[in-house]
């Protein structure tokens, strides 16, 4: 499969899973936020979908940067600039598609640093970072795709017990405990989408 075709598959699979779970993301955000996470994510990934031709034609790093810029520009909520900055920094870190596990881990680390910087947040604040960081650790430790999916699922489940200290959910304080974080859920969905596409194309085991 060509790099372009792979990029298209990734963008389409991510969009499809976000659309399919938009109501669930919104319901999670209704519980501890303002109930727009499904709408924000759908808007962002639909906007990427509309530009798939232009994005897929670019070299890998520039394609990620353009996709990230699209999220920053099209999504009103906090998640757009956060996911957008992550993609943009991942694109800057990897001019070409990662060719090794170390390169993939390095690319993800750049995305995590971007979210930390933009969100002024760290692990344990009950955010998307609480899935991104364990997934990065699983990849760096040599997990296969099944292990990466399992790491994402376990990390998502762990956000239920966390008290939010960043984002809108932080206003709830202790009352944020007992709910999954919406952004952690969308990150887990996106990780599954990437794993599914890589597996279907025999890119990684
Ligand atoms: P908004 O909070 O502006 O309504 P969304 O509902 O689309 O935006 O996204 C909320 C998600 O964004 C949260 O569930 C959390 O995972 C993530 N988030 C919010 N603020 C931060 C932050 N400062 N750092 C990291 N992630 C954050
Ligand atoms: Mg919201």
């Amino acid at each position: 499969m060509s790099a372009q075709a792979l990029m298209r598959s990734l963008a389409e699979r991510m969009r499809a899973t976000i659309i399919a779970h938009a109501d669930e993301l919104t319901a999670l955000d209704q519980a501890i936020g303002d109930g727009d996470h499904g709408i924000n994510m759908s808007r962002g990934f639909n906007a990427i979908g509309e530009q798939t031709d232009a994005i897929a034609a670019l070299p890998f790093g520039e394609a990620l940067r353009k996709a990230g810029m699209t999220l920053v520009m099209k999504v009103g909520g906090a998640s757009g600039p956060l996911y957008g900055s992550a993609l943009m920094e991942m694109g800057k870190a990897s001019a070409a598609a990662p060719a090794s596990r170390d390169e993939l881990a390095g690319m993800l680390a750049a995305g995590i640093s971007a979210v930390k910087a933009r969100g002024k947040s760290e692990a344990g604040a009950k955010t998307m970072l609480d899935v991104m960081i364990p997934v990065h650790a699983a990849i760096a430790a040599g997990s296969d795709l099944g292990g990466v999916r399992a790491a994402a699922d376990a990390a998502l489940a762990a956000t239920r017990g966390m008290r939010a200290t960043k984002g809108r959910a932080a206003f709830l304080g202790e009352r944020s405990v007992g709910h999954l974080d919406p952004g952690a859920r969308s990150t887990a969905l996106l990780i599954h989408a990437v794993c599914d596409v890589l597996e279907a194309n025999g890119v990684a085991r």
Side-chain angles (χ1 to χ4, degrees), residues 29 33-37 40 77-78 168 182:
D29 198 33
D34 57 354
D36 62 356
H37 192 53
N40 289 339
R168 291 180 192 279

Side-chain angles (χ1 to χ4, degrees), residues 56-158:
L58 294 170
F60 183 82
E62 284 172 43
L64 288 192
R65 287 170 64 177
K66 186 170 172 68
M69 235 137 43
T70 302
L71 292 184
V72 172
M73 288 187 313
K74 298 282 173 165
V75 182
S79 58
L82 290 167
Y83 277 123
S85 313
L87 279 179
M88 288 169 69
E89 290 304 316
M90 283 159 65
K92 282 188 204 164
S94 304
S100 69
R101 179 178 295 278
D102 282 355
E103 284 181 24
L104 177 61
M107 187 178 90
L108 250 179
I112 289 168
S113 297
V115 174
K116 285 181 174 176
R118 184 108 191 196
K120 299 184 172 49
S121 48
E122 280 291 336
K126 194 180 179 102
T127 71
M128 56 179 72
L129 283 172
D130 293 306
V131 171
M132 291 177 182
I133 293 168
V135 162
H136 170 265
I139 291 170
S143 294
D144 60 9
L145 290 174
V148 171
R149 289 188 185 94
D153 294 347
L156 168 64

Side-chain angles (χ1 to χ4, degrees), residues 140-201:
S143 294
D144 60 9
L145 290 174
V148 171
R149 289 188 185 94
D153 294 347
L156 168 64
T159 66
R160 193 183 292 281
M162 293 179 181
R163 185 170 68 84
T165 54
K166 291 288 170 187
R168 291 180 192 279
F171 296 123
L172 293 181
E174 276 302 321
R175 282 181 293 132
S176 66
V177 177
H179 302 276
L180 293 179
D181 176 60
R185 177 61 176 137
S186 56
T187 297
L189 288 169
L190 295 172
I191 298 292
H192 274 263
V194 171
C195 288
D196 292 351
V197 169
L198 294 182
E199 189 167 75
N201 293 287

